[in-house]
Amino acid sequence: MKEEISTIPDIIVDGRNVAGFGRDGTKEWNWDYVALCAKYYHDKGHKVVVVIPNWLQKDVVEKIKPYTFETQRVNTNRNKEWDDNMVLALSIMLNGFYVSLDKKMYKHSKGQLIDRAWCAERRIDFSIQDGVFTPGYSSKWNETMTLEVAEEVRV
C-alpha cells in the first residue's frame, strides 16, 4: 500500500506550554488554548500531534482530539519536562515544526543530533488574544511554505 506524502509540514503542539500561556503561576491551565492552536493548524490542512501530560482529564482530551492526527500522552511524574523531550523527538521524526514559547528546548537534546539553531528554526512562537491564536514563524517556516506553494503550481 502506497503512503500519501504531504509537503505541508506536521505540527507538534507542546500542550502544557500552550495551556500555560499567560499563566503567571497563580492562574489555572487553559486547555482551551491547546484546542484553539490545534484547530488553527488542522483547518489549514496540517497533521497535528498534541503532546499532553497523562494526568489530563479525559473530557479535556476529548475537546482537543477532533483537531489532531494524534494525542501523545506522556508520563511526567518522574521527569516534569519529559513532555518537552517528546515534543522534540516527534519534531525530529516527523520533520515538523513545534508550537511552544520555550526558547530553550535545545537543553533537552543530548548529543549532536540537533542543536540550538535547529530548535530555533523549528519553533513556532505564538500569542493568544481575545480567543484568537496568532503564530510567529521562523525563516525556515517561510522557506518550507514557499516550497510547498511552488510545488502546487507546477505544470
Side-chain angles (χ1 to χ4, degrees):
M1 184 191 311
K2 194 172 185 178
E3 186 178 332
E4 186 176 319
I5 298 173
S6 173
T7 58
I8 299 174
D10 293 341
I11 302 296
I12 297 81
V13 178
D14 183 349
R16 271 197 324 167
N17 186 277
V18 173
F21 176 78
R23 184 176 177 266
D24 60 9
T26 59
K27 296 179 186 173
E28 294 289 320
W29 300 93
N30 191 337
W31 295 98
D32 289 341
Y33 288 167
V34 178
L36 181 67
C37 173
K39 182 180 185 324
Y40 178 89
Y41 287 104
H42 173 270
D43 289 354
K44 293 186 177 308
H46 296 272
K47 187 170 22 171
V48 179
V49 178
V50 177
V51 177
I52 52 176
N54 65 344
W55 48 258
L56 195 58
Q57 301 89 339
K58 185 176 181 171
D59 62 318
V60 175
V61 177
E62 292 304 316
K63 287 167 103 176
I64 298 167
K65 271 188 175 180
Y67 311 113
T68 64
F69 170 75
E70 184 70 52
T71 52
Q72 180 66 54
R73 297 183 78 124
V74 179
N75 184 344
T76 57
N77 294 339
R78 281 190 252 156
N79 179 346
K80 66 180 180 121
E81 295 189 340
W82 193 246
D83 56 331
D84 291 342
N85 289 307
M86 184 59 68
V87 168
L88 281 181
L90 288 167
S91 298
I92 293 165
M93 291 181 347
L94 299 173
N95 196 26
F97 289 79
Y98 65 95
V99 180
S100 179
L101 293 177
D102 187 347
K103 294 180 181 178
K104 296 184 179 180
M105 289 285 269
Y106 60 86
K107 70 184 179 200
H108 301 294
S109 177
K110 308 293 186 238
Q112 298 177 354
L113 184 59
I114 62 169
D115 60 11
R116 188 177 191 161
W118 187 93
C119 289
E121 69 185 13
R122 292 294 176 156
R123 186 178 70 83
I124 300 172
D125 203 0
F126 70 93
S127 66
I128 300 171
Q129 190 167 6
D130 299 325
V132 177
F133 175 85
T134 305
Y137 298 113
S138 68
S139 58
K140 179 71 173 178
W141 173 272
N142 295 330
E143 174 187 310
T144 301
M145 296 309 288
T146 301
L147 287 173
E148 178 211 335
V149 170
E151 288 180 14
E152 284 179 358
V153 296
R154 280 189 202 171
V155 181

